[in-house]
Amino acid sequence: MTSNPQRIALVIGAAGGIGGEAAAALVRHGWTVRGLTRRPMPARPGMDWVSGDAMVAADVARAARGASLIVHAANPPGYKDWDKLVLPMLDNSIAAARAAGARVLLPGTVYNFGLEAFPLIDETAPQRPTTRKGKIRVEMERRLKVASTQGVPVLIVRAGDFFGPHAGNNWFGQAVVKPGGPLTSVTEPAARGLSHAWAYLPDLAETMARLLDRADRLGPFEVFHFGGHLLAWGEMAASVRRAAGQPRLPVKSFPWALVVALSPFVRLFGEMAEMRYLWREPMVLNDGKLRTFLGGEVPATPLDLAVAASLRGLGCLEASRDMNPLPEGEGGARRVAVGG
C-alpha cells in the first residue's frame, strides 16, 4: 500500500508500547506518521520524529498541523503523576485535533469499570469506577465525548491487559515475567479459577488501523471493545513455558499480600494494589460490535506465537529460538471471541 499524503497521523506516545505498534500499523496501511518525542530517537521506517512535549500545547499543535489523526497513546510509566499529567496531555491533543480538523484515537482501558459492570463488559456498560485511576480514565472519555460534539471525531478502542514485543510498561513485562534475561519463573496475577482478558499489542494496533480504513462508516464518537485472548488461570503461564521451552518453569502466584502491606510505603505498590479488583473477578470484553463492523475478521495472533515474540522483545528469549505454530491440542492457538 502506497503512502497517501492526505492521511497524516501524529502519534503521542510513539516510543511506548501501544503507541509504537499503532504507528507501525498505520505505516503499513499507508499513513504518513509523525511521532512526538522529547528526546532523540532512533530512526524507524515510515516514522518522522518531531521534537516536542505532550504537556506543551504549542508543541502538540505544531506537530499536528496537516494531520487528520492524532493517536493519543501517552501514558506516564509506572502510574507516576497520573493526576497531574494525564488530563492536561489529553486536553492538548484535543485542542490540536480541533485546530487541525483531526480525529482523536484513544486506546481505552478497563479501569473505567467498577464491579457492577463485570463479568461481560460491552460498550454500553456503566462506568462507575471506585479507583482514582479509573475516575481519571472516565474523565478522559467524558472530555472526548464533549469534543466529539464540537467537531472533533473520536475513536476509542478498549482492550484488556497489554503484552507485546515492544511493551514492558505493563503487567506482563513487570509482573508475569522478569525482563532482561533467561526466565527462572513465571507469575500468575489472577485468582485461581478466573478468566482474564489480555491484548496482544500488534493485533490491537492492526485492529485500530482497519477501523480507520473504514473511517467513512465511523460516527463522531465511536467505542469498540477488543476481546483479545481470554485466558483462565494458568494458561498464560503454560504458554510462557512452551515459548521458553521450559516445561518445568516454576509458576508462582502474585504476592498480593506483600504488595498490599507495602503499598503505603512504595508508590508503585500502592498503584498496583488499587487495581487488584481487576484480578479477583472474571473479566470479559464483549467484542461483538467490533467483529460485526469488521466483518468478523479481527486480528488474532496465536497465543504461543504472541507470547514468544513478547518474550524475545523483553530479552527473555533468544531471538533465534524457533516457535512454529503448535497443534491446537498442544497450546498453539487460543483466542476466545465474545459476541453480542
Side-chain angles (χ1 to χ4, degrees), residues 19-267:
E21 294 292 352
L26 291 172
V27 169
R28 290 196 303 272
H29 283 250
W31 290 77
T32 297
V33 179
R34 303 170 186 162
L36 189 70
T37 179
R38 291 180 297 172
R39 61 187 184 276
M41 297 295 296
R44 187 182 299 179
M47 171 79 75
D48 294 324
W49 291 107
V50 179
S51 178
D53 190 332
M55 284 292 288
V56 179
D59 287 357
V60 181
R62 171 176 48 81
R65 287 179 190 147
S68 59
L69 174 69
I70 297 178
V71 181
H72 187 83
N75 189 30
Y79 301 120
K80 185 177 180 180
D81 293 332
W82 262 47
D83 54 338
K84 300 174 184 176
L85 300 176
V86 170
L87 293 175
M89 286 192 293
L90 178 66
D91 287 342
N92 291 342
S93 289
I94 292 173
R98 183 178 293 112
R103 182 187 307 274
V104 175
L105 166 58
L106 177 74
T109 75
V110 295
Y111 294 179
N112 300 53
F113 303 107
L115 292 177
E116 70 280 348
F118 285 39
L120 184 60
I121 306 174
D122 67 14
E123 292 84 356
T124 66
Q127 297 191 9
R128 303 191 187 102
T130 58
T131 67
R132 180 180 59 87
K133 292 184 289 296
K135 292 174 181 176
I136 291 173
R137 295 296 305 197
V138 169
E139 176 60 18
M140 290 177 71
E141 294 190 18
R142 187 196 69 80
R143 294 187 186 191
L144 287 169
K145 178 70 171 180
V146 171
S148 74
T149 68
Q150 300 171 344
V152 179
V154 172
L155 171 62
I156 299 172
V157 185
R158 194 183 319 283
D161 276 284
F162 293 169
F163 70 109
H166 308 294
N169 182 33
N170 52 52
W171 280 86
F172 185 89
Q174 295 180 326
V176 174
V177 299
K178 183 178 179 180
L183 298 174
T184 58
S185 66
V186 58
T187 298
E188 281 281 0
R192 289 179 180 269
L194 298 185
S195 296
H196 191 80
W198 292 88
Y200 182 53
L201 290 185
D203 288 344
L204 176 58
E206 176 64 20
T207 297
M208 293 172 173
R210 293 185 188 182
L211 288 170
L212 291 165
D213 284 344
R214 298 159 175 80
D216 59 331
R217 293 170 49 197
L218 295 173
F221 184 82
E222 288 280 11
V223 181
F224 292 92
H225 284 184
F226 176 83
H229 292 276
L230 179 63
L231 304 181
W233 190 96
E235 287 189 287
M236 180 61 85
S239 182
V240 170
R241 281 176 157 181
R242 291 190 295 269
Q246 299 185 57
R248 298 182 182 276
L249 187 69
V251 179
K252 300 180 179 180
S253 294
F254 189 74
W256 282 112
L258 178 63
V259 167
V260 171
L262 295 178
S263 60
F265 313 105
V266 180
R267 180 191 54 79

